[in-house]
Amino acid sequence: QVQLQESGPGLVKPSETLSLTCGVSGYFISSGYYWGWIRQPPGKGLEWIGSVYHGGITYYNPSLKSRVTISVDTSKNQFSLELSSVTAADTAVYYCATPSPRYYDSSPPLFDYWGQGALVTVSS
Amino acid sequence: QSVLTQPPSVSGAPGQRVTISCTGSSSNIGAGYDVHWYQHLPGTAPKLLIYGNSNRPSGVPDRLSGSKSGTSASLAITGLQAEDEADYYCQSYDSSLSVVFGGGTKLTVL
């Protein structure tokens, strides 16, 4: 059973970089197909931020692409999100997620393993 | 503004049937991309309910069903129960190279 846990600062200042890590347990991250980040601003819906695929290939939401970096650290069995030049509009609950192997062939990608979410507030 | 449009809210009495629509365009659902559905309770992780338009993961009751036609998809819930009260999101893919979610629908069980 895959378990995901987001970690990182809960408060980030405007114009700075938001950094979150998703720790993976119960599964080797190097064996996974893709790992993603999704966020939910207060009172709004889910928004896909981006995904990193096996081998390091990344795909990002076009609206965030210029500010986002997602990477994998296989030595620590975790993957990370960096979002630069944040504003109050980036305040959200950030989720990391991945599919179980039975869904690797799903098109479009889907997510059935999710972390519990981490609230990140952008404020001075 | 979400690429996929859902009604902000729907409601129904226990035992009734409700449907939640998800309307896209020729660049996403209409382009042939499948639709997935998630249930989201506040403070918890979203749960996959339907994948590939109409398939249920194991453990999801058969009173939930999904369908897709043209540029739209729908989630139907029959025999409504209090535990169904939650937010529901559709998800697909857009030709802009992006995974896209609907704006979400809040289901209230009266």
Side-chain angles (χ1 to χ4, degrees):
Chain A
Q1 180 81 353
V2 178
Q3 291 187 312
L4 307 175
Q5 180 65 59
E6 304 89 351
S7 62
L11 181 64
V12 181
K13 289 182 169 55
S15 79
E16 294 190 345
T17 296
L18 178 159
S19 296
L20 290 173
T21 297
C22 182
V24 180
S25 58
Y27 198 69
F28 288 116
I29 197 169
S30 57
S31 298
Y33 187 24
Y34 57 86
W35 310 84
W37 288 96
I38 296 100
R39 70 180 183 179
Q40 183 179 32
K44 297 187 178 181
L46 300 172
E47 179 182 36
W48 174 74
I49 300 170
S51 298
V52 57
Y53 281 67
H54 186 78
I57 299 171
T58 52
Y59 295 92
Y60 300 132
N61 186 322
S63 68
L64 299 170
K65 187 175 183 178
S66 63
R67 300 193 291 130
V68 175
T69 302
I70 297 176
S71 59
V72 173
D73 186 338
T74 55
S75 67
K76 295 182 179 179
N77 217 46
Q78 64 187 32
F79 63 107
S80 301
L81 167 70
E82 289 193 339
L83 182 65
S84 64
S85 305
V86 297
T87 69
D90 296 309
T91 293
V93 175
Y94 285 77
Y95 296 96
C96 56
T98 194
S100 53
R102 70 176 73 93
Y103 299 122
Y104 281 178
D105 289 337
S106 174
S107 180
L110 60 78
F111 304 96
D112 66 327
Y113 287 124
W114 296 67
Q116 285 302 302
L119 174 61
V120 179
T121 302
V122 178
S123 175
S124 55
Chain B
Q1 188 98 6
S2 301
V3 172
L4 305 179
T5 301
Q6 297 180 233
S9 63
V10 297
S11 62
Q16 286 190 332
R17 178 181 187 268
V18 296
T19 61
I20 298 172
S21 61
C22 174
T23 303
S25 68
S26 59
S27 67
N28 40 71
I29 298 175
Y33 296 112
D34 284 350
V35 177
H36 313 310
W37 290 89
Y38 299 85
Q39 178 191 59
H40 191 202
L41 293 160
T44 69
K47 174 186 177 183
L48 180 68
L49 287 182
I50 297 287
Y51 67 96
N53 305 320
S54 60
N55 302 291
R56 285 184 304 275
S58 62
V60 175
D62 60 6
R63 59 189 186 82
L64 277 75
S65 62
S67 63
K68 173 191 160 184
S69 177
T71 58
S72 296
S74 290
L75 172 70
I77 306 175
T78 60
L80 206 57
Q81 301 177 4
E83 66 194 47
D84 296 325
E85 190 160 290
D87 297 324
Y88 293 82
Y89 292 89
C90 58
Q91 181 236 304
S92 186
Y93 188 82
D94 191 87
S95 300
S96 61
L97 301 182
S98 178
V99 169
V100 289
F101 286 93
T105 298
K106 181 177 181 58
L107 169 59
T108 300
V109 180
L110 302 171

